[in-house]
Amino acid sequence: MSRHVFTHAQNSIERLHEFLLAGARLTPDKPAVVEFAGNEVGTISYRQLERRVEECVTTLGDLGLDMGDRVVLESDTSAAAIATFLACSSLGLPFVPVSPETPAQRLLSIIDSVRPALYLQTTEGRRDGIPEHVGTGRFGPSGVTVERAPTPRRAHRREIVSADPAYMVFTSGTTGTAKGVVMSHRGILAFYRGMLQHGIVAPESRVATTAPLQFDFSLLDIGLALGSGATVVPVPRSLLRWPRRFLRFLADTEATQVNGAPSIWRAALRHEPGQLGELGDRIRGVLFSGEPFPLHELRRLQELLPAARIVNCFGSTESIASSFTDAPRPVPEDQKQLSIGFAHPGAEMMLLDDDHRPIDEPGVTGHIYLRSSALFTAYWNDPEATARALVPDPVTPETGQVVFRTGDLAHRGEGGELYFDGRADSQVKIRGNRVELAEVERRVAEFTGVDAASAVLLPKKDADPVLVVFVVLAPGEKSVDEMELGAFCMEYLPDYMAPQEIHVVAELPVTPNGKVDRNALLKSVS
């Protein structure tokens, strides 16, 4: 079945589970998911995936939950996880993905915020300490098993509508606490439809996804694959640390498309270029997101994968992504920066100056505002932050339309295309994960003996950037134990948010307007 026929059949679909399970009706015997089962590669067809979803729906449906009740789903990406979140979607239960590596205190803060009816982990999960008022269960290839039933409740809803929340992804927040991005069925499907018009994969493709399930990029990959009638191939997280095993997995699963942050390629480019080159005729596409791709590494990847179409995916969790732009092949030696192009079909990236006037001339930096049907609904239980992000259209406010103030800075090229110039706030990307430096600073400042803290991301040549924290000690303190401070941070923060370097300073430098001068801090350690 062609891509056109497959996507045309989905045009009237309004809910996430229907969209991703269309293959069960159109190509039921085709593999939907390929993954390791033990030490062997196994496949799950679209028909089998649908049956797993139906079994999960039966179990969850007997719990008496109401539409809109939240379900926390702790897992890496797998066929079982996909079936479980599609079952939640079928019942109108917004799912909240979290990683098995999420620190206990961070998970508890998410649970306290979203007040879920149910928490589910895999059959191999080792999480305990879930609050008594939350129902618990496990899921796997055999379906869902309830361990502690949710608190009885009365159902009020009868029909799932496209404006209902489909899921919620927690990101690092500017206030120092995790921030829940609520996405509706309508929003996620608008994004999928815009993305699929780029023709990045075909029904015969096998899409290897490397992002953790709690990262919205994983939902992009799943939608790209299943929404195209293709096959999704979840890469075990443990393999990403070992380039030889990672490349062997890609070969064994016959992956044709590999998606992830640029850093997934670094070790293979350095240590296993020969093995990577052996995949050169098979890998037809690479989609990267989360951080800029170092151009010398990208050029080398193009040499080793001569048949691969390499696509730069740019955007925020609040819209999943804004644009998909092909990297030139080859990347010219004198090119210093890749374009982020233009917004995907159905969206527009507007570039405005500080007075909200459109910027058309090349080379002038401005703020990106996103006009799209694929925008998030709100930040969970945070109307003030929502109002700061979803603002009246600055160009024509009379319409009442809201747009997303992304916080991203960019300038135009000669053809009107955009080039990313950084963030207007303190948000950075670390190994593809969005991090608000304020959240790191808040945790460090809670450590005994620390009076103030400021975090910066220090670029490193030919290596991942380093998260550096500068601390001012409380009066009477002479030093700080870096190992204890690191352990203190990792009680609450994911490992990618834990400081890699700590510097004690007498005071934090400030700019003329009184804000911490991060550039001055960077210069002090560069």
Side-chain angles (χ1 to χ4, degrees):
M1 177 173 291
S2 71
R3 180 195 302 121
H4 175 74
V5 173
F6 196 93
T7 54
H8 178 74
Q10 296 174 310
N11 286 341
S12 62
I13 290 174
E14 295 186 346
R15 292 172 292 190
L16 175 62
H17 55 282
E18 297 167 332
F19 191 90
L20 297 184
L21 288 174
R25 175 168 48 89
L26 300 171
T27 54
D29 297 320
K30 188 174 182 180
V33 186
V34 171
E35 61 183 359
F36 269 144
N39 292 320
E40 297 182 356
V41 174
T43 64
I44 294 91
S45 70
Y46 276 91
R47 177 185 285 115
Q48 291 171 323
L49 179 62
E50 183 181 49
R51 288 175 179 168
R52 288 192 181 190
V53 173
E54 291 170 348
E55 292 169 357
C56 291
V57 166
T58 298
T59 302
L60 297 177
D62 290 340
L63 298 178
L65 302 179
D66 194 11
M67 294 179 186
D69 285 341
R70 280 75 62 198
V71 177
V72 173
L73 189 63
E74 181 174 325
S75 176
D76 291 323
T77 306
S78 66
I82 294 172
T84 304
F85 81 64
L86 290 177
C88 290
S89 174
S90 300
L91 293 167
L93 307 173
F95 64 95
V96 184
V98 297
S99 168
E101 299 175 358
T102 301
Q105 291 303 315
R106 187 176 181 87
L107 175 62
L108 291 176
S109 71
I110 291 174
I111 289 175
D112 182 61
S113 175
V114 303
R115 305 183 303 280
L118 186 64
Y119 156 86
L120 297 175
Q121 64 178 317
T122 65
T123 52
E124 298 83 17
R126 299 181 178 180
R127 184 79 67 177
D128 55 18
I130 303 302
E132 291 291 330
H133 64 275
V134 179
T136 61
R138 295 180 180 271
F139 67 90
S142 300
V144 175
T145 301
V146 177
E147 296 177 324
R148 184 171 67 215
T151 303
R153 62 200 63 230
R154 182 177 180 180
H156 301 283
R157 296 284 307 282
R158 295 184 178 182
E159 182 70 23
I160 306 171
V161 300
S162 62
D164 282 341
Y167 67 84
M168 189 189 315
V169 170
F170 271 82
T171 69
S172 182
T174 56
T175 61
T177 57
K179 182 167 55 178
V181 178
V182 181
M183 183 64 74
S184 67
H185 291 267
R186 178 171 59 197
I188 181 68
L189 295 195
F191 168 74
Y192 282 161
R193 290 183 172 117
M195 172 179 64
L196 294 180
Q197 289 189 51
H198 285 276
I200 296 169
V201 302
E204 63 272 14
S205 300
R206 291 194 169 193
V207 182
T209 175
T210 63
L213 186 63
Q214 67 172 7
F215 187 18
D216 58 291
F217 197 14
S218 67
L219 298 177
L220 181 155
D221 291 340
I222 293 167
L224 179 64
L226 301 187
S228 301
T231 305
V232 62
V233 183
V235 179
R237 301 288 300 158
S238 60
L239 298 187
L240 297 178
R241 304 171 186 172
W242 307 97
R244 186 174 300 178
R245 298 178 187 176
F246 171 47
L247 297 175
R248 182 76 260 162
F249 176 86
L250 297 180
D252 290 344
T253 57
E254 300 180 348
T256 63
Q257 172 85 26
V258 186
N259 297 349
S263 57
I264 67 171
W265 298 105
R266 185 162 295 131
L269 289 170
R270 290 181 184 176
H271 306 297
E272 301 293 342
Q275 188 180 359
L276 177 56
E278 292 175 3
L279 298 176
D281 293 332
R282 180 176 300 162
I283 303 298
R284 313 297 296 183
V286 169
L287 187 148
F288 70 90
S289 182
E291 58 195 12
F293 209 131
L295 293 189
H296 68 283
E297 293 181 353
L298 180 56
R299 293 185 184 101
R300 181 59 173 151
L301 186 64
Q302 287 182 328
E303 293 174 2
L304 295 172
L305 303 179
R309 174 189 177 187
I310 299 181
V311 177
N312 180 10
C313 172
F314 174 82
S316 305
T317 299
E318 288 83 351
S319 62
I320 309 177
S322 305
S323 67
F324 299 87
T325 309
D326 284 52
R329 176 177 279 279
V331 176
E333 287 297 327
D334 60 350
Q335 185 161 341
K336 304 300 183 183
Q337 183 181 12
L338 291 181
S339 167
I340 59 172
F342 302 89
H344 62 72
E348 179 189 13
M349 290 190 292
M350 302 181 293
L351 192 65
L352 307 179
D353 65 16
D354 291 341
D355 296 319
H356 299 154
R357 292 173 300 198
I359 297 174
D360 297 318
E361 58 270 30
V364 179
T365 296
H367 302 267
I368 297 178
Y369 286 73
L370 181 64
R371 189 198 312 271
S372 175
S373 299
L375 296 180
F376 74 120
T377 303
Y379 296 120
W380 174 259
N381 196 30
D382 196 341
E384 293 182 358
T386 301
R388 289 193 296 270
L390 294 176
V391 299
D393 183 351
V395 178
T396 53
E398 298 86 356
T399 65
Q401 182 181 9
V402 296
V403 298
F404 174 40
R405 180 167 56 188
T406 66
D408 293 321
L409 302 174
H411 68 272
R412 293 194 184 280
E414 293 296 332
E417 76 281 8
L418 293 180
Y419 292 83
F420 179 60
D421 288 338
R423 291 286 303 171
D425 54 22
S426 61
Q427 187 183 106
V428 298
K429 291 287 183 71
I430 299 177
R431 301 203 298 275
N433 297 282
R434 191 173 82 171
V435 174
E436 291 286 355
L437 295 177
E439 186 172 6
V440 179
E441 292 165 352
R442 178 185 176 186
R443 183 60 178 172
V444 172
E446 292 174 346
F447 187 72
T448 302
V450 173
D451 196 32
S454 183
V456 297
L457 195 63
L458 178 64
K460 292 286 188 179
K461 185 177 180 180
D462 299 331
D464 290 332
V466 173
L467 182 60
V468 180
V469 173
F470 295 83
V471 299
V472 177
L473 299 180
E477 297 289 339
K478 296 182 178 180
S479 64
V480 61
D481 189 309
E482 295 188 14
M483 291 187 64
E484 288 187 6
L485 177 54
F488 177 79
C489 289
M490 293 188 70
E491 289 178 1
Y492 186 84
L493 302 176
D495 61 350
Y496 60 83
M497 291 177 65
Q500 294 167 276
E501 291 183 15
I502 298 169
H503 297 273
V504 176
V505 293
E507 60 182 8
L508 297 175
V510 296
T511 62
N513 63 5
K515 295 184 178 180
V516 174
D517 192 341
R518 298 183 192 276
N519 288 331
L521 291 173
L522 273 174
K523 291 178 181 178
S524 71
V525 291
S526 297

